[in-house]
Structure formats: C-alpha cells, structure tokens
Amino acid sequence: MKDFALPDLGEGLTESEIVEWHVAVGDTVTLNQPLADVETAKAIVQLPSPFAGVIGALYASAGDTVRVGAPIVGFEGAEAAPVAAPARERGLVGYGPAVASGDRPKRKTRTLPEEQPVFVPARGAALSTPPVRKLAHDLGVDLAVLTGTGEGGAVTREDVVSASKPVATGDRRIPIKGVRKATAAAMVASAFTAPHVTEFLTVDVTRSSELVGRLKAAGERASMLAVVAKALCLALPRNPSLNSRWDERAQEIVEFAAVNLGIAVATPRGLMVPVIRDAHTLSLGALTESIGALAATARAGETTPAALTGGTISITNVGVFGVDTGTPIINPGEAAILAMGAVRRLPWEYEGEVALREIMTLSLSFDHRLVDGEQAAKFLVDIGRVLVDPATVLALV
C-alpha cells in the first residue's frame, strides 16, 4: 500500500482539518480526482489524488485535525505520476500530478445520501455515515466521545444533535480549530503587537441614503457599504499613512500605492476578510458588485486562500447586526480598519433647525506606530464629508 501524506498547503500551517471525504475505502480513483475537502486557517480547499488506484485506507475521519506530513490516505495498486508544483485555483489545491489545464477537474457540490455505507475509520473513531460526520463537524461535536445508538453502535444524526445541546448540569465544549483558531491567533497577535487607538465620528448620511435609493430605482447597483468603501478610497490619497504597513524586519514603513480593501464577512465558519484588489479603481457600481460577490463566496465556504491575503486596509459593517459602533481590531499587517454602524433615523440639527435625519456612527481603529491621531482624524473627517454630501467628492479628486 502507498500512503499519501497531508501536504503543506503553502500557508505556513502545521495542521489542517478534514472537512469531508469524497472517497471511501474500496473506491477506484483516477489521477487528480478530488479526495477530500480540507479546511486551512483561511479557506476550504480540495486535495486531488496524486495516484490512480484503489483506496485501501482512510487514516482520518471528517472533523479530524491532521498534522502536515501525516498519512491520510492509503492506495492499493497505486500508479505514481509526476507531481506538479503547488498551484492556487478556486477551490482546488494543485498538489496532484501535472495535467493539461483543460483536463483539470472542476469542483462539484455533493449531496451525500443518509443511507451511504457506514465508514469504519482506521484510527478507531466512531462509526458513522458521511452526512453524520459532516453534521458533527458543523455542530462542533466530537464523534470519538459519543456512544452510538444505531445499528452496530453507529453514531446517528439524533446522537449528534442530542450531544450538541447543553444539558442542565453541564457546559458545552466546542473545539478551538479551523477559522476560529486562526482568527483568534491573528487578533491576539494584532492586539498585542500594534498599539490600537480608536476614533469616532457620527455623521448625517441622509443624502448618501437618498443617493443609494435613487441609483437602485434607476436600476443601478448601489449599497451604503459600497458608498462608505468609495469614500474611504477617495480619502486615502490625502491620508496615505492609513494605507501602510509596519515592516519590522526592514525597519521601514511601506505606504501602498494601491488600495486592496478587505471586507469583513461573518460566515458559518467564523469571521473572514476577503480582499477586493485595486478597489480604488472601481466605480460605485463595481464596488457594490464586488462586495456582494465576495460575501456570497465567503458564506458558501468557497473563498480561496489567495483571496484572503494582501489587504492594505479593511471595513467591517457592524450596522447589519443592529449595532451603533464598536472598536474593531486591526487586521494583521494593515494600518487601520473602519467600522460602520447602523443607520438610525434620529433628531439632528439641519439648516438651523431640528429634523429627523439618517444618522450613522463611524469608528476607526488604527496602529499608532503608523498613524498619528491628527492623521486619523483628518481621514475620518474626509470620509464623513463624502457621506454627508456625496457631491464633495469633487473636492477630493
């Protein structure tokens, strides 16, 4: 039997989690056929088979965390082929044999029937079907500690659901892994490396709200998040320190020419920050479309690792959760992150009188090594000016 070890996925990680197997013991596979979905610290990717042959053993079950270099699949009658250099593609990590680009398999969504044969893991994990293992993974339930009530001691869906519910006399324990583990490590590193300061600005965004409404009524693409993103991009050339990075090794401050804008997205797997590259070159409609597309991709679990790197500044929209403001933690390697709160209809001073207006609070967290309070304040005010009166963009370009 020839074993296939978990490869280095190119992110400097020492381990990854098996999310779902696409093969079972006894299956005949071809070169580059997807073997499994693997969760890295940034995304879910697929592992293609480096051999053609018969699956003789699976050394890990869905939900297991495996160290890089540890065997995960055993092949019987394996036919080896030259292994291509690592490549990044949408949903597919190219660690399998080299093939013509047109022959490379495309990722497909599989619906696993509940009646699939029970898989007996090689390392003594609980008996279960693939859908049950997937459910356990999603609910954070450790199958190894469950006593199955199904035929032959197999763990059933009901066993997993029951175990996921806290009992009156005990607390629920959720494994720290995957995106949650990576996010926690990054946020701790950021909080204790970059001295965070947060400034706030409450602005009247009535005219921006009206602009979004008019554009939508005319069939154009627009959103308040995109308006804020556009205002940020317009304000950065006047405040370049906000689009920079502290290079400790070189003892230099790098001010970026391009704006690679990170958009924080809440997903079932945790917080992700996919990046819109060269956001400063996009129109309001293009920004709206890009934000919607990357959010949908992230929530579907299809964001590639490459799409989560290279950001220069980020936005988080806490307003969608009904929150007025917050003090966000800077994405590692960036100088600042802007949080936009909920739009509230409130009494506000307008043209010498009190009127009901659309009000939003912005909060800007920044790295005080890179950005002084005055620079941050000017940047925040520039963004606010655009939101109060979108016509002021003419004064910023």
Side-chain angles (χ1 to χ4, degrees):
M1 188 179 298
K2 185 181 290 291
D3 287 343
F4 171 48
L6 180 68
D8 179 355
L9 299 178
E11 299 178 27
L13 302 177
T14 59
E15 62 185 24
S16 295
E17 180 185 339
I18 305 295
V19 175
E20 177 186 352
W21 285 108
H22 296 298
V23 296
V25 173
D27 285 356
T28 299
V29 298
T30 58
L31 297 177
N32 278 323
Q33 179 177 333
L35 297 175
D37 287 350
V38 179
E39 182 176 31
T40 71
K42 297 176 180 177
I44 293 179
V45 296
Q46 287 187 338
L47 291 180
S49 175
F51 308 112
V54 177
I55 303 295
L58 299 180
Y59 301 124
S61 58
D64 283 355
T65 298
V66 183
R67 294 192 65 80
V68 170
I72 56 174
V73 183
F75 293 86
E76 295 176 347
E79 299 177 7
V83 178
R88 295 195 179 278
E89 296 184 2
R90 181 180 177 86
L92 180 66
V93 175
Y95 289 88
V99 296
S101 60
D103 298 330
R104 193 173 295 278
K106 295 182 180 179
R107 181 175 184 174
K108 296 181 179 179
T109 301
R110 291 182 62 194
T111 302
L112 298 175
E114 190 69 38
E115 63 273 12
Q116 272 194 273
V118 170
F119 164 59
V120 183
R123 297 201 296 185
L127 299 172
S128 60
T129 62
V132 170
R133 294 198 303 276
K134 180 65 166 60
L135 176 65
H137 170 266
D138 292 342
L139 296 179
V141 174
D142 185 357
L143 287 175
V145 303
L146 299 186
T147 300
T149 61
E151 183 178 353
V155 175
T156 66
R157 176 180 291 273
E158 290 71 24
D159 295 333
V160 172
V161 172
S162 177
S164 70
K165 298 177 180 178
V167 295
T169 58
D171 298 327
R172 178 184 175 190
R173 291 183 174 268
I174 302 173
I176 301 173
K177 56 187 179 181
V179 171
R180 178 64 62 188
K181 183 177 181 178
T183 300
M187 292 301 97
V188 169
S190 176
F192 288 96
T193 300
H196 281 56
V197 179
T198 305
E199 294 182 351
F200 305 88
L201 178 67
T202 301
V203 294
D204 180 350
V205 297
T206 304
R207 289 179 178 173
S208 287
S209 294
E210 292 170 348
L211 173 63
V212 170
R214 289 197 304 271
L215 290 172
K216 287 182 176 179
E220 301 290 335
R221 300 183 302 270
S223 70
M224 183 58 73
L225 175 54
V227 172
V228 173
K230 188 64 178 178
L232 176 146
C233 291
L234 290 168
L236 279 175
R238 293 163 55 96
N239 306 276
S241 64
L242 276 296
N243 197 44
S244 66
R245 178 173 63 86
W246 183 276
D247 189 335
E248 183 67 31
R249 178 175 296 180
Q251 285 296 289
E252 294 176 338
I253 294 173
V254 181
E255 289 190 351
F256 299 105
V259 180
N260 293 336
L261 181 61
I263 303 292
V265 181
T267 78
R269 297 172 54 234
L271 179 68
M272 304 181 77
V273 190
V275 175
I276 300 174
R277 305 195 184 280
D278 296 318
H280 62 293
T281 66
L282 301 181
S283 65
L284 181 61
L287 271 173
T288 303
E289 185 174 3
S290 295
I291 291 170
L294 67 81
T297 300
R299 293 182 182 120
E302 297 178 351
T303 303
T304 63
L308 295 162
T309 60
T312 61
I313 190 170
S314 295
I315 292 178
T316 179
N317 184 6
V318 298
V320 296
F321 306 111
V323 175
D324 292 325
T325 189
T327 55
I329 296 178
I330 304 164
N331 210 31
E334 299 176 9
I337 181 170
L338 178 71
M340 50 183 290
V343 177
R344 308 284 191 193
R345 193 161 177 79
L346 300 172
W348 198 256
E349 191 276 329
Y350 177 67
E351 295 183 349
E353 298 182 356
V354 175
L356 285 177
R357 305 289 289 176
E358 303 285 333
I359 306 301
M360 174 195 290
T361 297
L362 302 170
S363 58
L364 178 73
S365 292
F366 57 93
D367 184 342
H368 217 329
R369 298 174 301 174
L370 293 161
V371 183
D372 295 334
E374 180 185 9
Q375 295 169 320
K378 288 181 176 178
F379 177 63
L380 201 53
V381 168
D382 279 345
I383 294 173
R385 287 173 60 199
V386 175
L387 298 180
V388 170
D389 184 1
T392 59
V393 297
L394 298 175
L396 299 179
V397 296

